[in-house]
Amino acid sequence: MKRTLILLIAITALLASCVSQKKYTALESDHKETKDLLNSATVRLNTCIDDKAKSDASVSALRDQITFLKANNQELINNMGNLTTLSQKGAENLERSLESLKEKDMRITRMQDAVTRRDSVTLALVTSLKGALVDINDADIEVNVEKGVVFISISDKLLFRSGSYTVTSRAKEVLGKVARVINDKTDLEFMVEGHTDNVPVKKDSDILVDNWDLSVKRATAVVRILQNDFLVDPARMTAAGRSSYVPLEDNETLSGRAKNRRTRIVVLPKLDQFFDLLEKGMEAASK
């Protein structure tokens, strides 16, 4: 009986031992599976943590970019407003510049018209003078234009005797032809200039002190002939002496001194008439 009890106890313990081993193996298997799941979850968790960190960084960068874009957009809006203002001012300035250029262009056109009219008058005067003096030796009298001014240069030998300021009869004929042209151009003024060479005058007279005196007296002698013999209005004339200080050629030669001894009639441009033409042209252009 005792042996049977011991045997039953042993069988019971053995059975108990067999059940525990199965449970242990099952638990161990569950533990391993759980551990694997835990490891897998840990890996996924770490991955999620990394992804979250990257997402947070990306969100932060995007927020910074949005902030920058908002500021930049506002700046662009402000700049557009400034550009609109500048564009309006630029358009106004451009319009004023165009108006100014248009006005200047009109002035230039009117000035060109006035110059053309003046040149037409000058050309007509030169043509008339050359026609009137066509039979005079070209070496004794010249008609030319310099910078819009007409010059009539008459040689000394045609007008005066050597060292004298008395006009010759031959000279009166020439001056008469010049006077007819001048009298036809009543709106013109002119100056008679006396020129000498550098040879001093003979001091055997109390009247002529030097070449200044000789040049002035020759000019006044011509003016008197034009006034008294040919009725040229004296208010239109000026008498001037230049002595030897405006030579045409070198005074060291006979031919040069002969060229320098001359009387020159300078037709003076009436600047007041010229500017009056400009003013009238501008008034007409502004209407």
Side-chain angles (χ1 to χ4, degrees), residues 35-271:
K35 187 175 181 181
D36 290 341
L37 291 173
L38 177 62
N39 290 335
S40 177
T42 302
V43 170
R44 286 197 297 272
L45 176 61
N46 291 333
T47 301
C48 289
I49 291 173
D50 291 340
D51 290 342
K52 182 178 181 300
K54 291 178 181 180
S55 297
D56 290 342
S58 179
V59 168
S60 178
L62 289 173
R63 285 175 179 171
D64 292 340
Q65 188 174 3
I66 290 171
T67 302
F68 170 78
L69 289 174
K70 285 182 178 179
N72 191 50
N73 186 55
Q74 186 60 47
E75 185 177 354
L76 288 174
I77 292 172
N78 295 336
N79 288 339
M80 286 180 65
N82 293 334
L83 286 173
T84 301
T85 303
L86 290 174
S87 297
Q88 291 175 347
K89 291 182 179 179
E92 293 172 358
N93 292 335
L94 180 59
E95 185 175 358
R96 284 195 295 268
S97 297
L98 290 174
E99 288 294 329
S100 177
L101 288 173
K102 182 179 179 180
E103 183 178 349
K104 288 179 180 179
D105 185 60
M106 293 168 60
R107 288 181 180 177
I108 291 172
T109 300
R110 297 306 169 186
M111 288 181 67
Q112 289 174 338
D113 291 343
V115 170
T116 299
R117 294 183 188 179
R118 184 201 65 187
D119 290 344
S120 298
V121 172
T122 299
L123 179 60
L125 177 61
V126 170
T127 302
S128 298
L129 287 168
K130 288 187 175 182
L133 302 170
V134 68
D135 58 337
I136 307 298
N137 188 347
D138 289 344
D140 295 331
I141 187 167
E142 295 179 358
V143 180
N144 52 43
V145 180
E146 296 178 13
K147 297 180 180 179
V149 179
V150 178
F151 295 91
I152 308 165
S153 184
I154 307 172
S155 68
D156 173 72
K157 68 178 182 179
L158 188 61
L159 291 175
F160 307 102
R161 290 186 297 273
S162 178
S164 172
Y165 52 87
T166 301
V167 178
T168 66
S169 58
R170 172 63 172 155
K172 290 183 180 181
E173 179 185 349
V174 174
L175 292 176
K177 292 181 178 182
V178 173
R180 280 195 295 273
V181 176
I182 291 173
N183 283 331
D184 287 339
K185 308 291 183 183
T186 56
D187 58 336
L188 296 177
E189 297 179 352
F190 57 95
M191 178 171 59
V192 178
E193 292 181 346
H195 295 261
T196 69
D197 57 24
N198 66 345
V199 178
V201 298
K202 294 180 181 180
K203 296 185 179 180
D204 56 357
S205 171
D206 294 334
I207 299 175
L208 297 178
V209 177
D210 52 22
N211 285 340
W212 278 114
D213 278 346
L214 180 59
S215 64
V216 171
K217 287 189 175 297
R218 285 183 167 177
T220 55
V222 171
V223 166
R224 288 192 185 96
I225 294 295
L226 292 172
Q227 176 184 352
N228 298 331
D229 294 11
F230 303 107
L231 305 179
V232 177
D233 184 0
R236 298 170 57 198
M237 296 187 289
T238 301
R242 306 299 298 271
S243 187
S244 60
Y245 298 106
V246 190
L248 292 176
E249 295 185 8
D250 194 341
N251 276 305
E252 298 302 317
T253 63
L254 289 174
S255 61
R257 288 195 295 273
K259 192 76 173 178
N260 293 334
R261 295 191 300 269
R262 68 201 186 278
T263 298
R264 190 168 71 163
I265 300 175
V266 183
V267 180
L268 302 174
K270 301 195 74 171
L271 296 179

